[in-house]
């Protein structure tokens, strides 16, 4: 699978079919790895969070979860195939997961929401193997006793894939810290996926998603919680994009100069021979 270097990150140029093939390869190999779904908010957090950078550096795969990143890849003429959203993965991959009978565990959301998401998915994909759900307490990531209990629950369920929906960067850091302990082949942070699937939070209409305005929809839904993230923090993305454009132009100028120098050097011996 090809990599696309953007914002100092090696994105896998995946669509959902490619992602499924990658998940297949991990499960068949028996390796333990995790997938991170990068959006604009992640890019901003990476600039000031060393632990989060380490999480990314050790990820098995990085996919683009956000239309602004996909649009940026096209502007930079390094186009990614499509947005691969954590919130959409279970529905997009549902049929394939059903056919493969992969065992799955849902960790996240408030009490009962992950279980409700399971029931909703089973109405669409009745043969899905969802072998357990757990809604952790608030601040669980700092509670070693609870973390040990969660690890035990997951190990006893023996899933192939653990889907973690507790928000970024908490979910990615938790996976990074514990995925080898619970021993599952694949772990994926999926943000608000369980809330969306269960109907606990209303998802933006498809047109709004395609226009890349899902952030605005979510801002209207939860203005007190999300205003700073979307209106202040994530606005830094424009600066990151301009920096990428400048870097790409500089690289192209350098390549052009290198080619020109190379052509001149190659022509020199023949010039000397004439004398």
């Amino acid at each position: 699978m090809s990599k696309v270097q953007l914002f100092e990150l090696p994105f896998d140029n995946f669509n959902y079919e490619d992602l499924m093939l990658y998940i297949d390869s991990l499960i068949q190999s028996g390796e333990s790895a995790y997938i991170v779904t990068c959006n604009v908010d992640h890019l901003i957090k990476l600039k000031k969070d060393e632990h989060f950078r380490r999480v990314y550096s050790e990820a098995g795969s990085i996919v683009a979860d956000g239309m602004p990143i996909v649009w940026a890849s096209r502007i930079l003429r390094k186009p990614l195939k499509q947005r691969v959203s954590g919130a959409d993965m279970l529905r997009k991959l549902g049929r394939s997961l059903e056919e493969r009978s992969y065992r799955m565990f849902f960790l996240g959301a408030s009490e009962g929401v992950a279980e409700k998401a399971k029931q909703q998915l089973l109405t669409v994909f009745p043969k899905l193997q969802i072998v357990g759900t757990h809604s952790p307490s608030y601040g669980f990531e700092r509670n070693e006793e609870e973390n040990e209990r969660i690890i035990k629950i997951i190990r006893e369920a023996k899933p192939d894939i653990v889907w973690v929906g507790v928000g970024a960067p908490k979910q990615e850091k938790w996976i990074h810290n514990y995925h080898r302990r619970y021993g599952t082949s694949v772990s994926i942070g999926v943000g608000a996926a369980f809330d969306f699937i269960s109907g606990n939070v209303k998802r933006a209409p498809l047109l709004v998603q395609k226009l890349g305005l899902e952030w605005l929809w979510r801002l209207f839904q939860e203005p007190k919680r999300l205003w700073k993230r979307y209106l202040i923090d994530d606005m830094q993305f424009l600066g990151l994009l301009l920096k990428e454009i400048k870097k790409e132009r500089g690289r192209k100028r350098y390549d052009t100069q290198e080619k020109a120098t190379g052509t001149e050097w190659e022509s020199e011996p023949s010039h000397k021979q004439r004398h």
Side-chain angles (χ1 to χ4, degrees):
M1 299 292 183
S2 62
K3 300 274 187 182
V4 175
Q5 194 75 21
L6 291 167
F7 305 104
E8 300 178 358
L9 294 174
F11 284 89
D12 282 299
N13 198 0
F14 283 175
N15 54 27
Y16 288 101
E17 184 179 345
D18 297 327
L19 178 66
M20 192 70 248
L21 291 173
Y22 176 67
I23 290 171
D24 287 339
S25 71
L26 289 175
I27 293 173
Q28 289 162 14
S29 71
E31 296 177 31
S32 180
Y34 57 89
I35 297 162
V36 289
T37 57
C38 184
N39 57 26
V40 168
D41 189 54
H42 283 211
L43 291 177
I44 304 306
K45 284 180 168 63
L46 282 166
K47 296 299 175 185
K48 51 190 177 184
D49 190 329
E50 185 179 346
H51 185 184
F52 203 25
R53 288 196 295 272
R54 191 160 69 252
V55 170
Y56 261 76
S57 70
E58 296 176 20
S61 175
I62 301 170
V63 296
D65 179 357
M67 285 309 300
I69 294 175
V70 175
W71 291 331
S73 75
R74 293 169 185 169
I75 291 169
L76 295 163
R77 298 184 181 179
K78 298 189 281 188
L80 292 164
K81 291 179 183 178
Q82 70 175 115
R83 176 192 182 193
V84 179
S85 167
D88 291 326
M89 279 183 189
L90 281 157
R91 289 199 181 276
K92 294 282 189 181
L93 302 179
R95 193 66 63 205
S96 297
L97 292 166
E98 199 176 36
E99 290 169 358
R100 289 159 170 79
S101 297
Y102 288 152
R103 297 167 62 84
M104 301 187 295
F105 190 98
F106 294 173
L107 174 66
S110 55
E111 188 64 37
V113 171
E115 181 63 26
K116 190 176 177 182
K118 169 187 170 179
Q119 298 305 325
Q120 287 291 104
L121 280 168
L122 288 174
T123 64
V124 184
F125 308 108
K127 293 182 181 178
L128 279 180
Q129 299 296 306
I130 303 172
V131 296
T133 67
H134 181 75
S135 296
S137 66
Y138 181 78
F140 78 100
E141 73 280 6
R142 299 185 297 274
N143 185 332
E144 198 55 40
E145 186 178 337
E146 184 169 1
N147 287 324
E148 290 297 329
R149 188 162 61 250
I150 292 169
I151 290 167
K152 185 173 183 290
I153 291 169
I154 296 173
R155 287 177 68 89
E156 287 176 352
K158 297 180 180 177
D160 299 301
I161 309 169
V162 173
W163 306 83
V164 184
V166 295
K170 185 191 298 186
Q171 62 195 16
E172 288 81 13
K173 290 179 179 180
W174 191 88
I175 290 168
H176 174 259
N177 290 340
Y178 295 108
H179 75 105
R180 296 194 187 281
R181 292 275 310 280
Y182 56 75
T184 300
S185 292
V186 186
S187 300
I188 309 172
V190 291
F194 304 143
D195 285 303
F196 293 143
I197 293 167
S198 68
N200 190 49
V201 174
K202 190 176 180 182
R203 187 83 188 270
L206 192 58
L207 178 60
V208 174
Q209 294 178 44
K210 287 182 176 178
L211 291 172
L213 294 173
E214 192 167 9
W215 67 272
L216 189 58
W217 174 271
R218 293 196 66 193
L219 177 61
F220 282 136
Q221 285 187 310
E222 300 181 84
K224 287 184 179 179
R225 187 173 75 87
L226 297 174
W227 74 270
K228 185 176 182 293
R229 168 180 166 178
Y230 287 132
L231 299 182
I232 297 178
D233 295 343
D234 288 3
M235 289 300 117
Q236 297 173 54
F237 177 69
L238 182 59
L240 295 179
L241 177 57
L242 291 173
K243 185 178 177 181
E244 283 289 298
I245 291 170
K246 184 178 179 181
K247 184 166 55 175
E248 192 65 18
R249 285 176 178 171
R251 187 188 65 78
K252 285 180 179 177
R253 280 199 299 270
Y254 178 80
D255 288 346
T256 301
Q257 289 169 359
E258 282 287 293
K259 286 177 183 177
T261 305
T263 303
E264 186 177 320
W265 183 84
E266 287 168 6
S267 65
E268 193 173 345
S270 60
H271 172 73
K272 286 182 178 178
Q273 286 171 7
R274 287 198 297 270
H275 293 278

